[in-house]
Every structure is written in C-alpha cells, then in structure tokens.
Amino acid sequence: MKVVISPGAGIVGSSYAQLHLNFYAKRCPQAENIIQDYVQKHIPNAPSLAAALLRLQFADCFVRGCDGSVLLNFTSSTKNQTEKVAVPNQTLRVFSFIDGVKKAVEAECSGVVSCADIVSLVARDSIVVTGGPYWNTSFASKDLDLKDLVLLYGAHTIGVSHCPSISSRLYNFTGVWCTQDPSLDSDYAANLKMKKCKSINDNTTIVEMDRGSSSNFDLSYFKLVLKRKWLFQSDAALKTSETTKSYINQLVQGSLKQFNAEFGKAMEKMGSIEVKTGSVGEIRKHCAAVNS
C-alpha cells in the first residue's frame, strides 16, 4: 500500500543546529504549559489514554520520521491512502485528544506549534501523569541502537490490546487449526484461552499487555518477558538475541529509577527521527488535514 506523507508538521527552523529545548520559548512561551495542563486535566480521568498516546507517537515516528503524518485523514482528492488507514494503525485512537490539545494551543498562538511536537509532548506528559518518567524533547538528531529498542519495548508496561492481535498465536500459529505459538509459556497461553480470548473469532475482549500491572509504569513487563509470558510475537523476539536478553536482565536487576532514566533517553532519540526543519513541511492548523 502506498502511503502519502504530506508536508509535515515538523519543527520549523533553518537547520538542525536549531533543534533545541524550549524551542517555542519566544514565539509561544505558554505552549508547553498549555499542553501539560490539558493532559493533567484529562488523563487522571482516563489513564488508559496514556498508553494510546504513547503508541501514537511510536506509530508516527517509525514511518518516515516524526512528522505528524499519522494524524492525516484520507481524502477523496488523492488516490493514495494515509498512514491512519494502514492495517497496523486502524486500532489507533486518541485523535480527538490531539485535536483538543491543538485547539487549545492554536487559541494561544495560531500557526506556531507543529502537530508532530504536540504528539511528542502529549505522549511524554501523559506518561508523567501516570507515574512514568519525564524526558526532554530536544529533537536532536541521533540514531537508535539495540539497547534503545529494548528500552522502547518497555512501553508495553502500560496499556491493553485486543484478542485479534494475539488470536493466531493461540489457535492458528502455523496456519493449521489448533496450533499454538511454542514460544508462549503454556500456562499463560491456557489462561488466555480460558479467561480472555476464548475463540479465534473474539474481536472485542481487552487483554492487558503487562498482566496485573497494565496501569503502572514499572519493570513488570520485562520480568514477564523472561518468563515467556508475552502478549505479542514481537515481544518474543527480545529473547532470540543474547544481547537483548542481557539488556533485559540488567534492567530487571536494576532499579525502576534507572529504567525510567534510560527509557527517557531512548524516547528522546526516537522523537528525533527524521524531523522536518527549515522550509520543509508546514505547521498545520488542523492536524488531520493539510492547510488549504
């Protein structure tokens, strides 16, 4: 499927040297406070949104960079489809939350703060509200390494998924009916089939990504990975490499404070993937559509 990446929503500046902290201090000094206040007002009433907002940033950044393009709606005027309708992104939500934040920021300073930056700041602030770490959004250009990948998988410590995401692992792993993913802990798989995803046709039941601790930003997810009690097949990949297994063991044996600090640094790196600068892109007035 072709994906249309419209002029984006990156940070406006004349060069990468201008990517820095407090980017909006002069043009919209209240921007970060407005975003933080909005998050603090709404997330405590719906803490599950924090995981959804974090996932939204991942979805945006890992497809041709952090440009806010995942927010764009499909329009009949183009033959291409947007990222929002790609199969992995069809379960994304919280678009209305981003719209609400954008509206509040636009009321303060119109046409200044990009949609990509709003996605990044909202993800960070919502994790802080739920007890997770704070990280700077410096948007400096850095590369992700294998350790960063392990750390970013730690985002699975909060939030939920739905049975279609895992049903094939439980009932049809090899394409033959009643085959189960052998990498799954057998007791964990039996529990999922008995209490959660009772059939391959269950499209609605919610399943915790970090069983028993899906509302807490902690190290529990990594402990479950070591026990093969992971929800997604991608989680299982973490144990196929001695290097990643070593990183996980280090995290589990370390402190939550250490994990929070390292996770924050990995998020800073991710938030810098191919950001748009200079005359590239535009500050969209509405995040779901390009400026007319």
Side-chain angles (χ1 to χ4, degrees):
M1 180 181 69
K2 294 182 71 176
V3 177
V4 60
I5 304 295
S6 99
I11 303 170
V12 175
S14 61
S15 70
Y16 275 99
Q18 287 190 313
L19 299 181
H20 53 75
L21 294 173
N22 302 317
F23 183 82
Y24 297 110
K26 292 183 178 180
R27 298 182 63 202
C28 192
Q30 292 302 312
E32 291 199 36
N33 288 334
I34 291 170
I35 294 171
Q36 187 178 65
D37 289 346
Y38 192 98
V39 169
Q40 290 178 339
K41 178 180 178 181
H42 292 89
I43 294 299
N45 299 322
S48 65
L49 292 181
L53 289 163
L54 186 59
R55 183 187 171 203
L56 185 67
Q57 188 188 6
F58 275 69
D60 185 37
C61 289
F62 281 106
V63 179
R64 296 180 64 176
C66 309
D67 60 0
S69 53
V70 75
L71 306 173
L72 290 167
N73 286 336
F74 170 79
T75 63
S76 58
S77 62
T78 175
K79 295 181 181 180
N80 293 325
Q81 293 179 308
T82 64
E83 292 173 38
K84 187 182 287 187
V85 298
V87 173
N89 293 338
Q90 288 177 9
T91 55
L92 290 175
R93 52 194 183 106
V94 298
F95 295 110
S96 60
F97 191 97
I98 297 297
D99 290 340
V101 175
K102 178 65 170 174
K103 183 177 180 180
V105 173
E106 285 290 304
E108 174 72 15
C109 41
S110 180
V112 175
V113 181
S114 74
C115 296
D117 290 353
I118 286 175
V119 169
S120 178
L121 291 167
V122 165
R124 180 196 68 185
D125 292 346
S126 64
I127 294 301
V128 171
V129 169
T130 57
Y134 176 94
W135 58 87
N136 293 318
T137 48
S138 61
F139 309 105
S141 180
K142 298 176 183 176
D143 295 325
L144 295 168
D145 58 27
L146 196 57
K147 185 174 183 179
D148 293 318
L149 178 66
V150 172
L151 289 163
L152 292 173
Y153 263 93
H156 286 176
T157 188
I158 59 171
V160 297
S161 186
H162 293 81
C163 287
S165 299
I166 61 168
S167 59
S168 63
R169 302 187 68 209
L170 299 174
Y171 297 102
N172 193 29
F173 185 65
T174 62
V176 178
W177 181 246
C178 291
T179 54
Q180 180 177 298
D181 185 350
S183 72
L184 271 174
D185 174 82
S186 58
D187 290 338
Y188 176 57
N191 183 274
L192 286 172
K193 289 193 284 189
M194 183 184 302
K195 297 182 179 180
K196 291 292 183 180
C197 306
K198 298 180 181 180
S199 82
I200 197 170
N201 298 316
D202 186 339
N203 296 317
T204 58
T205 301
I206 291 173
V207 186
E208 293 178 296
M209 291 194 293
D210 183 357
R211 189 177 65 170
S213 184
S214 63
S215 297
N216 301 317
F217 201 93
D218 54 26
L219 291 165
S220 177
Y221 162 76
F222 292 113
K223 295 176 182 178
L224 291 177
V225 166
L226 293 177
K227 297 177 181 178
R228 298 190 296 118
K229 296 181 179 181
W230 42 53
L231 200 61
F232 306 119
Q233 192 170 351
S234 59
D235 295 330
L238 292 177
K239 286 196 69 176
T240 62
S241 160
E242 290 301 320
T243 302
T244 56
K245 281 195 293 185
S246 175
Y247 286 146
I248 293 173
N249 278 308
Q250 290 174 32
L251 289 168
V252 169
Q253 294 167 13
S255 67
L256 179 58
K257 182 178 180 180
Q258 176 187 352
F259 166 57
N260 284 347
E262 294 186 356
F263 178 84
K265 291 177 182 177
M267 286 297 298
E268 288 174 23
K269 287 186 179 182
M270 188 191 74
S272 71
I273 297 174
E274 297 180 32
V275 294
K276 287 178 166 54
T277 59
S279 60
V280 180
E282 65 181 5
I283 305 297
R284 303 200 297 269
K285 291 186 178 296
H286 301 284
C287 292
V290 299
N291 296 337
S292 58

